[in-house]
Amino acid sequence: MNSILINGDWQSAKSSRAIQAIDPTNRSAVGETFPVSDWADCETVMDAAQAAAVAMEDISLDDLASFLNAYADNLEKNAESICEVANQETGLPVSPRLLDVEMPRTIDQLRQAAAAAKDHGWRNPVHDHDKNIHSCLTPIGPVLIFGPNNFPLAFNAISGGDFAAAIAAGNPVIAKAHPSQPGTSRLLAEQALDAAKRTGMPAGIVQMLYDIDPSDGLKMVADSRIAAVAFTGSRRGGTALKAAADQVGKPIYLEMSSINPVFLLQSALERGEELSDEAAGSCLLAAGQFCTSPNLIVIPKGEKADEFLQAMTAAFKSKPAGTLLSEAVLSSLKSSIEMLVGAGVEILAGGKEAESDAFAFANTLMKIDSKSFLENEDALQTEAFGPASLVVVCEDEQDALAIAKRIHGSLTASVYGKEGDAAMVPLTKILQRVAGRVIHNKMPTGVAVSPAMNHGGPYPATGHPRFTAVGIPASLERFAKLSCFDNVAESFLPACLR
Amino acid sequence: MNSILINGDWQSAKSSRAIQAIDPTNRSAVGETFPVSDWADCETVMDAAQAAAVAMEDISLDDLASFLNAYADNLEKNAESICEVANQETGLPVSPRLLDVEMPRTIDQLRQAAAAAKDHGWRNPVHDHDKNIHSCLTPIGPVLIFGPNNFPLAFNAISGGDFAAAIAAGNPVIAKAHPSQPGTSRLLAEQALDAAKRTGMPAGIVQMLYDIDPSDGLKMVADSRIAAVAFTGSRRGGTALKAAADQVGKPIYLEMSSINPVFLLQSALERGEELSDEAAGSCLLAAGQFCTSPNLIVIPKGEKADEFLQAMTAAFKSKPAGTLLSEAVLSSLKSSIEMLVGAGVEILAGGKEAESDAFAFANTLMKIDSKSFLENEDALQTEAFGPASLVVVCEDEQDALAIAKRIHGSLTASVYGKEGDAAMVPLTKILQRVAGRVIHNKMPTGVAVSPAMNHGGPYPATGHPRFTAVGIPASLERFAKLSCFDNVAESFLPACLR
């Protein structure tokens, strides 16, 4: 049985059960066994994280940055072996994905975070010299991170965006790996630990548990030794953790579910065939397993709409069913499709599990008219995580505005149209109220690691619309508290106020 | 029966019951009767607020600032009549308090907020020109504000810090007045409405209900027409509203309970008599009814400690019992003192209701040793809102550090000592983890309206340690969401991104 990363060492887990990764391309177990930690392990990592948080108060920001950069260097050197295991555990291709896109993104995030760690700007130092009051953002304390299944590197709890942000903001991290990626997480954690040791970080700065019982997860979230929590994953999991955090008034940052509506105006439908390529490509990218995958496409009815639907149906039918990340994703997708069918959608393509050795579901295109959509708007906004999208056919563009007003909090909302189209201004305004990122004439799947990015939005997309999970330095603010120093001599102030 | 402020007009309430203010100096009813609104009124104001939020998207920031400045001017002109009613409803003196301190502070806050409304800096505009992605903070939508009892002007839901911040951030406000101050709130709202009309604001920008049933308050908090909530008041009220907001993933900003510990090191105790004046003055200011009133004073034992305790006891006994704001404050204080006595404190002064026509409780000084404190630390951190403080006598300064580590999330934490004192550095570090504002050699009661101020802190002082309720522009950020525009032409962008 594999060891867990506790307080600077690989140690035997206190565990009474084990997990093993499943290769989703053939549904068979792969790699070594890994422990599901008992509560005793949770206690140990939380104690160590608390001690590390105190020790980190005396670590220079340059040294902190060195750690993140050293980790990035390590990943660069070991990229191939890590991506090989990640491929086995997720079915995501080494190329064009893990090795040439996701790993470079992961490395870039760590380096951007390193630069942000040294930069005082995002800490917002404010001086009132007359009154001798000074304030800035300071580290919040131990951060518990739950990583998702769909980005084994760039969002992994031990290497991804939340990790980079929490560390760069000056906090120790307890990573709860995704149980479907224990081997990948192990390899990443080895590199993190090596970098931490070489750069003189406190022992408990990075720790990792492969898996824990859900009830222990809730207990950890509520424990006073944890200062903040980050979670990327399903709405069900996220809301359970949120309830535990809310109960004790603790910040929790969630990136949960989002239907990412795409509105196509009549002017865009004129080039329907080209658009159907673009839309189908975005819907089916990585088998639709992106947080920003378009689950809903809204079009005005007519000849061009019919042509678009035909082209989309053909595209969904012709592309092979992609491999899903796990049996859980497959079964959740089945339930979502059942719910949508129950709510009245018409299946244009797919709609059932694919015949395959892999976990796979046929590319599924659905249709409904706007009147029926509005009559059952909650059920019809069920996220179908996977290669499935619903097209809502409206009476006209005015009708599309009515749909837009009912969209639940979403990460993104896109509009395709011309600047002069009558619906363009009102639609953009409405969508800005419900989505964290409004996009014109572009599909939502790409999430650039840009300082201007918002990978966030109103609930249920996330737990708080003020914060973003992607984009440095903004993402670091989630793991900070506001600290004020009143009549305090300079020698007592944090570096950014001196 | 008085009318309520709905959608730009004074309208008859849908109400089946009424309230009347009580003059706390003689416990008798004063002023007119005011309606407790039914749910129908809540529906109406929420509809109007939604419409106002949309209309406000087209209001220029200059006009918004004009409204806040016009309101400030109105208050300046009508200060005396408003303070007279506020005095009747709260017992707080016109001078030196309402007219010469709190009203100027209120006016200053509105003017600072007006300046911030025009300033794009706090909206944090970020441009990624290469990728054509742009982001900034944008208005969150209708804000529901619950004001407290202890600052009838500067924290009133229709004129105080939350109001100024929510409006300046571009949002309409629904003020739920404090039911003990209906007359004051009415006079303030009249000036707000006049200013809004004169500056061409949308009808629903400011609305006010004098009172509603608590269950309707919870329903409003959960209603999708409300985008964010601010509350200043008791922990019991705040946590109930928080649960309702959390359930639907809505931002709620609470300023609840805080014991504001003050640590006196041996070097400070050397000037014990002078310090006891300062400490007693702070503890008993406005009969201890400040959010930042020091509820806990921690001292190392010894001769100087005994002298300090004697001087404090004398001061508490000699000062007259101040008037409490309401019967509710009196009865809550009684319960808190009972709980503290039950937890083992020794009463050095006071401990019971004062004999008075007014709502009043004898100035109450309590004592406990550090060992007993640590054995029952939760109960002994019960906030006693009113003229009551607990002194914890430690073995030594090391022992004081152990106390500091157990302090619950607090708005402030003070240390009195010399820069070279051995305990000064560790104590400051520990207190920075638990309190929003760390203070050296000064009592916590003053809360300057400074851009560097933090009137916030970890739970249970507030609901989120990243935000402050006082200090402009930082306090505005609570009522904003992060919005990103990806591939969107400049003409569609909010003013701060153009």
Side-chain angles (χ1 to χ4, degrees):
Chain A
M1 182 97 87
N2 242 287
S3 48
I4 56 177
L5 177 51
I6 289 194
N7 204 19
D9 277 311
W10 292 100
Q11 299 184 19
S12 299
K14 309 276 186 301
S15 165
S16 41
R17 115 188 136 74
I19 51 168
Q20 198 176 4
I22 305 290
D23 181 340
T25 63
N26 59 24
R27 308 188 185 208
S28 57
V30 61
E32 304 170 48
T33 60
F34 294 84
V36 178
S37 280
D38 292 343
W39 179 247
D41 284 347
C42 302
E43 292 266 8
T44 311
V45 292
M46 289 192 291
D47 283 340
Q50 265 214 316
V54 172
M56 285 174 78
E57 290 173 2
D58 296 321
I59 292 283
S60 81
L61 298 180
D62 281 348
D63 287 349
L64 191 61
S66 298
F67 160 53
L68 289 165
N69 280 325
Y71 186 15
D73 295 346
N74 280 358
L75 292 185
E76 211 156 43
K77 280 181 216 130
N78 295 276
E80 288 193 24
S81 53
I82 295 169
C83 290
E84 197 178 308
V85 174
N87 162 260
Q88 283 173 2
E89 293 184 334
T90 64
L92 295 169
V94 170
S95 180
R97 164 79 190 248
L98 294 171
L99 190 61
D100 40 14
V101 179
E102 194 177 334
M103 182 59 96
R105 178 191 181 98
T106 308
I107 292 165
D108 177 46
Q109 280 178 168
L110 290 167
R111 289 189 177 138
Q112 285 196 32
K118 286 197 276 193
D119 175 32
H120 292 167
W122 71 267
R123 294 186 175 90
N124 196 29
V126 180
H127 298 278
D128 183 337
H129 291 294
D130 286 350
K131 299 197 175 84
N132 195 16
I133 304 176
H134 311 273
S135 65
C136 67
L137 296 179
T138 60
I140 197 166
V143 177
L144 173 60
I145 301 178
F146 295 85
N149 57 5
N150 62 340
F151 281 83
L153 310 172
F155 286 80
N156 193 304
I158 194 76
S159 65
D162 287 342
F163 172 89
I167 295 280
N171 310 289
V173 164
I174 298 174
K176 208 291 278 174
H178 196 280
S180 68
Q181 301 152 10
T184 310
S185 302
R186 165 84 201 202
L187 293 181
L188 292 165
E190 283 174 2
Q191 298 310 324
L193 177 61
D194 173 77
K197 287 196 163 166
R198 282 194 295 112
T199 53
M201 291 296 113
I205 187 173
V206 288
Q207 302 184 95
M208 187 175 72
L209 305 172
Y210 299 104
D211 200 9
I212 52 178
D213 276 329
S215 63
D216 284 342
L218 297 174
K219 265 172 82 177
M220 285 183 85
V221 165
D223 195 284
S224 65
R225 286 165 288 189
I226 300 294
V229 181
F231 168 88
T232 308
S234 72
R235 185 162 167 190
R236 196 173 142 202
T239 50
L241 295 176
K242 179 178 179 336
D246 288 341
Q247 187 68 33
V248 294
K250 182 176 300 180
I252 181 165
Y253 301 100
L254 310 157
E255 201 257 87
M256 296 189 290
S257 58
S258 181
I259 59 163
N260 307 299
V262 175
F263 289 78
L264 308 180
L265 299 183
Q266 192 62 48
S267 67
L269 276 186
E270 295 299 324
R271 49 185 186 93
E273 196 156 329
E274 185 193 329
L275 258 190
S276 70
D277 271 1
E278 201 174 324
S282 179
C283 293
L284 303 178
L285 186 64
Q289 298 167 113
F290 265 56
C291 319
T292 51
S293 186
N295 263 235
L296 200 75
I297 298 175
V298 183
I299 57 176
K301 77 176 181 190
E303 200 183 319
K304 292 293 172 188
D306 295 342
E307 286 172 22
F308 174 78
L309 278 167
Q310 278 162 23
M312 282 288 279
T313 306
F316 269 62
K317 283 185 174 164
S318 68
K319 295 199 188 214
T323 299
L324 297 177
L325 292 156
S326 67
E327 188 164 11
V329 170
L330 174 59
S331 97
S332 159
L333 179 56
K334 277 187 207 166
S335 313
S336 298
I337 300 292
E338 266 171 38
M339 176 170 283
L340 290 166
V341 168
V345 307
E346 176 190 343
I347 300 273
L348 300 179
K352 57 182 192 301
E353 191 171 343
E355 284 178 29
S356 169
D357 289 342
F359 298 121
F361 198 87
N363 298 329
T364 298
L365 189 69
M366 297 160 283
K367 184 180 103 166
I368 198 158
D369 64 89
S370 57
K371 184 162 172 287
S372 307
F373 180 86
L374 289 173
E375 281 167 5
N376 204 355
E377 63 188 43
D378 286 340
L380 288 163
Q381 290 189 59
T382 301
E383 185 189 33
F385 188 77
S389 297
L390 170 61
V391 181
V392 181
V393 181
C394 296
E395 290 302 305
D396 50 30
E397 292 182 356
Q398 205 56 38
D399 197 24
L401 297 183
I403 302 277
K405 285 183 184 159
R406 314 315 294 252
I407 296 294
H408 296 168
S410 202
L411 294 170
T412 71
S414 306
V415 187
Y416 278 72
K418 291 207 183 97
E419 217 172 310
D421 288 344
M424 205 68 184
V425 167
L427 197 47
T428 302
K429 280 193 179 180
I430 294 166
L431 293 177
Q432 192 233 298
R433 292 174 211 142
V434 297
R437 177 164 55 117
V438 175
I439 308 167
H440 279 182
N441 297 305
K442 217 173 71 174
M443 286 293 155
T445 15
V447 183
V449 183
S450 158
M453 177 50 62
N454 181 18
H455 192 60
Y459 186 86
T462 79
H464 199 304
R466 166 69 184 78
F467 298 100
T468 176
V470 173
I472 293 168
S475 63
L476 277 64
E477 285 191 44
R478 297 173 297 159
F479 306 113
K481 64 182 191 300
L482 182 58
S483 290
C484 172
F485 302 88
D486 188 346
N487 200 35
V488 170
E490 192 173 317
S491 64
F492 293 91
L493 299 180
C496 75
L497 288 175
R498 258 178 254 145
Chain B
M1 181 97 86
N2 243 286
S3 48
I4 56 176
L5 177 51
I6 289 194
N7 204 20
D9 277 311
W10 292 100
Q11 300 185 17
S12 299
K14 309 275 185 304
S15 165
S16 40
R17 129 184 126 72
I19 52 169
Q20 198 175 5
I22 305 289
D23 181 341
T25 63
N26 58 24
R27 308 190 186 206
S28 57
V30 62
E32 304 171 48
T33 60
F34 295 85
V36 178
S37 280
D38 292 342
W39 180 247
D41 284 347
C42 303
E43 291 267 7
T44 311
V45 293
M46 289 193 292
D47 283 339
Q50 265 215 317
V54 172
M56 286 176 77
E57 291 173 2
D58 296 321
I59 293 282
S60 80
L61 299 179
D62 281 348
D63 287 349
L64 191 62
S66 297
F67 161 53
L68 289 165
N69 280 325
Y71 187 14
D73 294 346
N74 280 358
L75 292 186
E76 211 156 42
K77 280 181 218 133
N78 296 278
E80 288 192 24
S81 53
I82 295 170
C83 291
E84 197 179 306
V85 174
N87 162 259
Q88 282 174 2
E89 293 185 334
T90 63
L92 295 168
V94 170
S95 181
R97 164 76 189 250
L98 294 171
L99 189 61
D100 40 14
V101 179
E102 195 177 333
M103 183 59 96
R105 178 192 181 98
T106 309
I107 291 166
D108 177 46
Q109 279 178 166
L110 289 168
R111 290 190 176 138
Q112 285 195 33
K118 287 196 276 192
D119 175 32
H120 292 169
W122 71 268
R123 295 187 174 89
N124 196 30
V126 180
H127 298 278
D128 183 337
H129 291 292
D130 287 349
K131 299 197 175 85
N132 196 17
I133 304 176
H134 310 272
S135 65
C136 67
L137 297 180
T138 60
I140 197 166
V143 177
L144 174 61
I145 302 179
F146 295 84
N149 57 5
N150 62 339
F151 280 84
L153 311 173
F155 286 80
N156 194 303
I158 194 75
S159 64
D162 287 342
F163 172 89
I167 295 279
N171 309 290
V173 164
I174 299 174
K176 208 292 278 173
H178 196 281
S180 69
Q181 302 153 9
T184 310
S185 303
R186 164 87 201 201
L187 293 180
L188 292 165
E190 282 173 2
Q191 298 310 324
L193 177 61
D194 174 77
K197 287 196 163 166
R198 283 194 294 112
T199 54
M201 291 296 114
I205 188 173
V206 289
Q207 301 183 97
M208 187 176 72
L209 305 172
Y210 300 104
D211 200 9
I212 51 178
D213 276 329
S215 63
D216 285 341
L218 297 174
K219 265 172 82 177
M220 284 183 85
V221 165
D223 194 283
S224 65
R225 287 165 288 188
I226 299 295
V229 182
F231 168 88
T232 308
S234 73
R235 185 161 168 189
R236 196 173 140 202
T239 50
L241 296 176
K242 179 178 178 339
D246 289 342
Q247 187 68 34
V248 295
K250 182 176 300 179
I252 182 166
Y253 301 99
L254 310 157
E255 201 258 86
M256 296 189 290
S257 58
S258 181
I259 60 163
N260 307 300
V262 175
F263 289 78
L264 307 180
L265 299 183
Q266 193 62 48
S267 67
L269 276 185
E270 295 300 323
R271 49 185 185 93
E273 197 155 327
E274 184 193 330
L275 258 191
S276 70
D277 271 359
E278 200 174 324
S282 179
C283 293
L284 302 177
L285 186 64
Q289 299 168 113
F290 266 54
C291 318
T292 50
S293 184
N295 262 234
L296 200 75
I297 299 175
V298 183
I299 57 176
K301 76 176 182 191
E303 200 183 317
K304 292 291 172 189
D306 294 341
E307 286 172 22
F308 174 79
L309 277 167
Q310 277 162 24
M312 281 287 278
T313 305
F316 269 60
K317 283 185 173 164
S318 68
K319 297 199 186 212
T323 299
L324 298 177
L325 292 157
S326 67
E327 187 164 13
V329 170
L330 174 59
S331 98
S332 161
L333 179 56
K334 277 186 205 165
S335 311
S336 299
I337 300 293
E338 266 170 38
M339 177 171 282
L340 290 166
V341 168
V345 306
E346 177 189 342
I347 301 273
L348 300 179
K352 57 181 192 302
E353 191 171 345
E355 284 179 30
S356 170
D357 288 339
F359 299 121
F361 198 88
N363 298 329
T364 299
L365 189 69
M366 298 160 282
K367 183 179 103 165
I368 198 158
D369 65 87
S370 57
K371 184 163 172 289
S372 307
F373 181 86
L374 289 174
E375 281 167 5
N376 203 357
E377 65 188 41
D378 286 341
L380 289 163
Q381 290 188 59
T382 301
E383 185 189 32
F385 188 78
S389 297
L390 171 61
V391 181
V392 181
V393 181
C394 296
E395 290 302 305
D396 50 31
E397 293 183 354
Q398 204 56 38
D399 196 23
L401 297 183
I403 301 277
K405 285 183 185 163
R406 313 315 293 253
I407 295 294
H408 297 167
S410 203
L411 294 170
T412 71
S414 306
V415 186
Y416 278 73
K418 291 206 182 97
E419 215 172 311
D421 289 344
M424 206 66 183
V425 167
L427 197 47
T428 302
K429 280 192 181 183
I430 293 166
L431 294 177
Q432 193 234 298
R433 290 174 213 143
V434 297
R437 178 165 55 118
V438 176
I439 308 166
H440 279 182
N441 297 304
K442 215 172 72 174
M443 286 292 156
T445 15
V447 183
V449 183
S450 158
M453 177 50 64
N454 181 19
H455 192 59
Y459 187 86
T462 79
H464 198 303
R466 165 67 185 80
F467 299 99
T468 175
V470 174
I472 293 168
S475 62
L476 278 63
E477 285 191 45
R478 296 173 297 158
F479 305 113
K481 64 183 191 303
L482 182 58
S483 290
C484 172
F485 302 88
D486 188 346
N487 200 35
V488 170
E490 192 173 316
S491 64
F492 293 91
L493 300 179
C496 75
L497 288 176
R498 257 178 255 144

Coordinates of all heavy atoms in Angstrom, one line a residue, chain A residues 31-66:
Chain A
G31 N -2.3 0.3 -11.9 CA -1.4 0.9 -10.9 C -1.6 0.3 -9.5 O -2.2 -0.8 -9.3
E32 N -0.9 0.9 -8.6 CA -0.8 0.4 -7.2 C -2.1 0.6 -6.4 O -3.0 1.3 -6.9 CB 0.4 1.0 -6.5 CG 1.7 0.9 -7.3 CD 2.8 1.7 -6.7 OE1 3.0 1.7 -5.5 OE2 3.5 2.4 -7.5
T33 N -2.1 0.1 -5.2 CA -3.2 0.5 -4.3 C -2.8 1.6 -3.4 O -1.6 1.8 -3.1 CB -3.6 -0.7 -3.4 OG1 -2.5 -1.1 -2.6 CG2 -4.1 -1.9 -4.2
F34 N -3.8 2.4 -3.0 CA -3.6 3.6 -2.2 C -4.6 3.6 -1.1 O -5.8 3.2 -1.2 CB -3.8 4.8 -3.1 CG -2.8 5.0 -4.2 CD1 -3.0 4.3 -5.4 CD2 -1.7 5.8 -4.0 CE1 -2.0 4.4 -6.4 CE2 -0.7 5.9 -5.0 CZ -0.9 5.2 -6.3
P35 N -4.2 4.1 0.1 CA -5.0 4.1 1.2 C -6.2 5.1 1.2 O -6.0 6.2 0.8 CB -4.1 4.4 2.4 CG -3.0 5.2 1.8 CD -2.9 4.7 0.4
V36 N -7.3 4.7 1.8 CA -8.3 5.7 2.2 C -8.0 6.0 3.7 O -8.2 5.1 4.5 CB -9.7 5.0 2.0 CG1 -10.8 6.0 2.5 CG2 -10.0 4.6 0.6
S37 N -7.6 7.2 3.9 CA -7.2 7.5 5.3 C -8.3 7.5 6.3 O -9.4 8.0 6.0 CB -6.5 8.9 5.3 OG -5.1 8.8 4.8
D38 N -8.0 7.1 7.5 CA -8.9 7.2 8.6 C -8.8 8.6 9.2 O -8.0 9.4 8.8 CB -8.6 6.2 9.7 CG -8.8 4.8 9.3 OD1 -9.6 4.6 8.3 OD2 -8.3 3.9 9.9
W39 N -9.7 8.9 10.1 CA -9.7 10.3 10.7 C -8.4 10.6 11.4 O -8.0 11.8 11.4 CB -10.9 10.4 11.7 CG -11.0 11.7 12.4 CD1 -10.7 12.0 13.7 CD2 -11.2 13.0 11.8 NE1 -10.9 13.3 14.0 CE2 -11.1 14.0 12.8 CE3 -11.5 13.4 10.5 CZ2 -11.3 15.3 12.6 CZ3 -11.7 14.7 10.3 CH2 -11.6 15.7 11.3
A40 N -7.7 9.5 11.9 CA -6.4 9.8 12.6 C -5.5 10.5 11.6 O -4.7 11.4 12.0 CB -5.8 8.5 13.0
D41 N -5.4 10.1 10.4 CA -4.6 10.8 9.4 C -5.0 12.3 9.2 O -4.2 13.2 9.1 CB -4.6 10.1 8.0 CG -3.8 8.8 8.0 OD1 -3.0 8.6 9.0 OD2 -3.9 8.1 7.1
C42 N -6.3 12.5 9.2 CA -6.8 13.8 9.0 C -6.4 14.7 10.2 O -5.9 15.9 10.0 CB -8.4 13.8 9.0 SG -9.0 12.8 7.7
E43 N -6.4 14.2 11.4 CA -5.9 14.9 12.6 C -4.5 15.3 12.4 O -4.1 16.4 12.7 CB -6.1 14.0 13.8 CG -7.5 13.7 14.2 CD -8.0 14.7 15.3 OE1 -7.3 15.7 15.6 OE2 -9.1 14.5 15.8
T44 N -3.7 14.3 12.0 CA -2.2 14.5 11.9 C -1.9 15.6 10.9 O -1.1 16.5 11.1 CB -1.5 13.2 11.5 OG1 -2.0 12.2 12.3 CG2 0.0 13.4 11.6
V45 N -2.5 15.5 9.7 CA -2.2 16.6 8.7 C -2.7 17.9 9.1 O -2.1 19.0 8.8 CB -2.8 16.2 7.3 CG1 -2.1 15.0 6.7 CG2 -4.3 16.1 7.3
M46 N -3.8 18.0 9.8 CA -4.3 19.3 10.3 C -3.4 19.9 11.3 O -3.1 21.1 11.3 CB -5.8 19.2 10.8 CG -6.7 19.0 9.6 SD -8.5 19.2 10.1 CE -8.7 17.8 11.2
D47 N -2.9 19.1 12.2 CA -1.9 19.6 13.2 C -0.7 20.1 12.5 O -0.2 21.2 12.8 CB -1.6 18.5 14.2 CG -2.6 18.3 15.3 OD1 -3.5 19.2 15.5 OD2 -2.6 17.2 15.9
A48 N -0.2 19.4 11.6 CA 1.0 19.8 10.9 C 0.8 21.0 10.1 O 1.6 21.9 10.0 CB 1.5 18.6 10.0
A49 N -0.4 21.1 9.5 CA -0.7 22.3 8.7 C -0.8 23.6 9.5 O -0.3 24.7 9.2 CB -2.0 22.1 7.9
Q50 N -1.3 23.4 10.7 CA -1.4 24.6 11.6 C 0.0 25.0 12.0 O 0.3 26.2 12.0 CB -2.1 24.1 12.9 CG -3.6 24.5 12.9 CD -4.0 24.9 14.3 OE1 -3.7 24.2 15.3 NE2 -4.8 25.9 14.4
A51 N 0.9 24.1 12.3 CA 2.3 24.5 12.6 C 2.9 25.1 11.4 O 3.7 26.1 11.6 CB 3.0 23.2 13.1
A52 N 2.7 24.6 10.2 CA 3.3 25.1 9.0 C 2.8 26.6 8.8 O 3.5 27.4 8.4 CB 2.9 24.3 7.8
A53 N 1.5 26.8 9.1 CA 1.0 28.2 8.9 C 1.7 29.2 9.7 O 2.0 30.3 9.3 CB -0.5 28.2 9.2
V54 N 2.0 28.8 11.0 CA 2.8 29.7 11.8 C 4.2 29.9 11.3 O 4.7 31.0 11.2 CB 2.8 29.1 13.3 CG1 3.7 29.9 14.2 CG2 1.4 29.1 13.8
A55 N 4.8 28.7 10.9 CA 6.2 28.8 10.4 C 6.3 29.7 9.1 O 7.2 30.4 8.9 CB 6.7 27.4 10.1
M56 N 5.2 29.6 8.3 CA 5.2 30.4 7.1 C 5.2 31.9 7.3 O 5.5 32.7 6.4 CB 4.1 29.9 6.2 CG 4.4 28.6 5.5 SD 3.0 27.9 4.6 CE 3.1 28.9 3.1
E57 N 4.8 32.3 8.5 CA 4.8 33.8 8.7 C 6.2 34.3 8.7 O 6.4 35.5 8.4 CB 4.1 34.0 10.1 CG 2.6 33.8 10.1 CD 2.0 33.9 11.5 OE1 2.7 34.2 12.5 OE2 0.8 33.6 11.6
D58 N 7.2 33.4 8.9 CA 8.6 33.9 8.9 C 9.3 33.5 7.6 O 10.5 33.7 7.5 CB 9.3 33.3 10.1 CG 8.7 33.8 11.4 OD1 8.3 35.0 11.4 OD2 8.5 33.1 12.4
I59 N 8.6 33.0 6.6 CA 9.3 32.6 5.4 C 9.2 33.9 4.5 O 8.2 34.5 4.4 CB 8.5 31.5 4.7 CG1 8.6 30.2 5.5 CG2 8.9 31.3 3.2 CD1 9.9 29.5 5.3
S60 N 10.3 34.2 3.8 CA 10.3 35.4 3.0 C 9.5 35.1 1.7 O 9.4 33.9 1.3 CB 11.8 35.8 2.6 OG 12.2 34.9 1.6
L61 N 9.0 36.1 1.1 CA 8.2 35.9 -0.1 C 9.1 35.4 -1.2 O 8.6 34.7 -2.1 CB 7.4 37.2 -0.4 CG 6.5 37.7 0.7 CD1 5.8 39.0 0.3 CD2 5.4 36.6 1.0
D62 N 10.3 35.8 -1.2 CA 11.2 35.3 -2.3 C 11.4 33.8 -2.1 O 11.4 33.1 -3.1 CB 12.6 36.0 -2.1 CG 12.6 37.4 -2.7 OD1 11.6 37.8 -3.4 OD2 13.5 38.2 -2.5
D63 N 11.5 33.3 -0.9 CA 11.7 31.9 -0.7 C 10.4 31.2 -1.1 O 10.5 30.1 -1.7 CB 12.1 31.6 0.7 CG 13.5 32.0 1.1 OD1 14.3 32.3 0.1 OD2 13.8 32.0 2.3
L64 N 9.3 31.7 -0.8 CA 8.0 31.1 -1.2 C 8.0 31.0 -2.7 O 7.6 29.9 -3.2 CB 6.9 32.0 -0.6 CG 5.5 31.4 -0.7 CD1 5.4 30.1 0.2 CD2 4.5 32.4 -0.2
A65 N 8.3 32.1 -3.4 CA 8.3 32.0 -4.8 C 9.3 31.0 -5.4 O 9.0 30.3 -6.3 CB 8.7 33.4 -5.4
S66 N 10.5 30.9 -4.7 CA 11.4 29.9 -5.1 C 10.9 28.5 -5.1 O 11.1 27.6 -5.9 CB 12.7 29.9 -4.2 OG 13.3 31.2 -4.3

